Amino acid sequence: MTIEQIIVIAVVQGITEFLPISSSGHLILVPNLMHWPDQGQFVDVMVHVGTLFAILIYFWRDVWRITLGALELFKGRVTQEGRLAIYIILATIPAIAFGLFLKKFGFGDLERNVAVVAWNTILYGLLMLVADMVGPQERTVEKMTLGSALIIGVAQALALIPGTSRSGVTMTAARFLGFTRPDSARFSFLLGIPAIAGAGVLTVGDALASGDTITMDAVYCAVLTFFAGLAAIAFLMALVRRMSLLPFVLYRMVLGGFLLVMLYT
């Protein structure tokens, strides 16, 4: 990979992973527009590692409190943070199960299917619009229940189908359930920690088992993605406190339409 490709891929991934606009759509679009060879799944995984660390740093207070709450559970004390830790763990199970299903039946390479990415970018953008219009802004993460967490967890599992956007579909589910925009985003990011970590470990393990090695290009991408991701989280959290999700919906419509034009022409 050239230095230009490393920088662009890292910045694009860092921004689009956290904004609800489909990172997989951009990871397909960029190489095609720039006439670069596909960066490959190993680089995709490493940039996701960068985004994972961005979440851990930005939400370190939440992560610390949830970790302490989880430790309290082993002492027989159930705190609010401990319940949230349980909810996050249980809500991650649907994504694990669906991921194993896709892998077992040979659907692991859907991310390179431009048609799947394009149509899902449009479809889930429309669902986001409806959820943000009809969903009341009443609930916070502190009022999370097991049922709500599992519904959002099932939505997260759907994000394994490219073009859906993990942050987008989980925020959509949370908005349908009446969570405020900031708390929808906050829970989406916290829920993403085990999901992103688990996917990274599995894919890196498969790559190493097949003889691939961790290249410096992939490491550089991960580091740059970390900084881009931090900026994207800060931007999104500031934006959802002030306005609706409509700008992201409109952007998804344009992106999905452009991918369809690129595919069919």
Side-chain angles (χ1 to χ4, degrees), residues 1-13 27 30-31 34-47 112 213-225:
M1 295 173 65
T2 64
I3 186 63
E4 293 84 1
Q5 187 175 6
I6 291 173
I7 293 173
V8 171
I9 291 297
V11 171
V12 168
Q13 170 62 25
L27 290 177
V30 169
M34 304 300 292
H35 304 291
W36 288 333
D38 190 282
Q39 66 274 3
Q41 287 187 328
F42 198 87
V43 171
D44 288 357
V45 170
M46 289 301 290
V47 295
R112 268 61 185 173
T213 58
I214 300 177
T215 64
M216 288 307 298
D217 287 352
V219 173
Y220 294 148
C221 280
V223 173
L224 290 174
T225 302

Side-chain angles (χ1 to χ4, degrees), residues 78-181:
V78 181
T79 63
Q80 186 180 66
E81 290 77 14
R83 281 193 295 270
L84 188 56
I86 294 173
Y87 295 163
I88 289 174
I89 292 171
L90 294 178
T92 303
I93 294 176
I96 295 174
F98 192 44
L100 292 174
F101 170 82
L102 292 177
K103 184 176 181 181
K104 179 177 177 61
F105 291 96
F107 295 108
D109 202 37
L110 277 177
E111 190 161 330
R112 268 61 185 173
N113 190 314
V114 180
V116 171
V117 173
W119 286 113
N120 277 339
T121 298
I122 295 172
L123 171 62
Y124 286 98
L126 293 174
L127 285 176
M128 184 190 304
L129 176 63
V130 174
D132 202 42
M133 290 175 60
V134 304
Q137 295 205 69
E138 300 172 345
R139 302 174 65 186
T140 64
V141 170
E142 287 68 31
K143 295 181 180 179
M144 181 66 64
T145 63
L146 177 58
S148 295
L150 290 176
I151 291 173
I152 299 172
V154 171
Q156 177 174 251
L158 295 176
L160 294 174
I161 303 175
T164 303
S165 170
R166 197 204 63 80
S167 63
V169 74
T170 50
M171 288 175 63
T172 296
R175 288 292 295 119
F176 269 123
L177 293 170
F179 286 89
T180 67
R181 294 186 189 104

Side-chain angles (χ1 to χ4, degrees), residues 58-95:
Y58 189 89
F59 291 101
W60 71 269
R61 291 183 181 85
D62 285 314
V63 172
W64 178 248
R65 286 194 291 265
I66 291 171
T67 301
L68 292 179
L71 294 176
E72 288 293 317
L73 293 173
F74 291 103
K75 300 178 183 178
R77 292 193 290 269
V78 181
T79 63
Q80 186 180 66
E81 290 77 14
R83 281 193 295 270
L84 188 56
I86 294 173
Y87 295 163
I88 289 174
I89 292 171
L90 294 178
T92 303
I93 294 176

Side-chain angles (χ1 to χ4, degrees), residues 184-258:
S184 296
R186 179 181 163 204
F187 187 73
S188 170
F189 292 137
L190 294 175
L191 183 60
I193 292 174
I196 296 173
V201 169
L202 288 175
T203 308
V204 169
D206 289 344
L208 294 177
S210 64
D212 290 341
T213 58
I214 300 177
T215 64
M216 288 307 298
D217 287 352
V219 173
Y220 294 148
C221 280
V223 173
L224 290 174
T225 302
F226 165 75
F227 290 105
L230 273 180
I233 296 175
F235 171 75
L236 178 63
M237 295 304 295
L239 192 68
V240 295
R241 293 187 182 99
R242 295 172 172 82
M243 59 188 301
S244 73
L245 300 177
L246 180 60
F248 301 118
V249 173
L250 296 176
Y251 183 86
R252 289 180 69 110
M253 297 301 104
V254 173
L255 174 63
F258 190 87

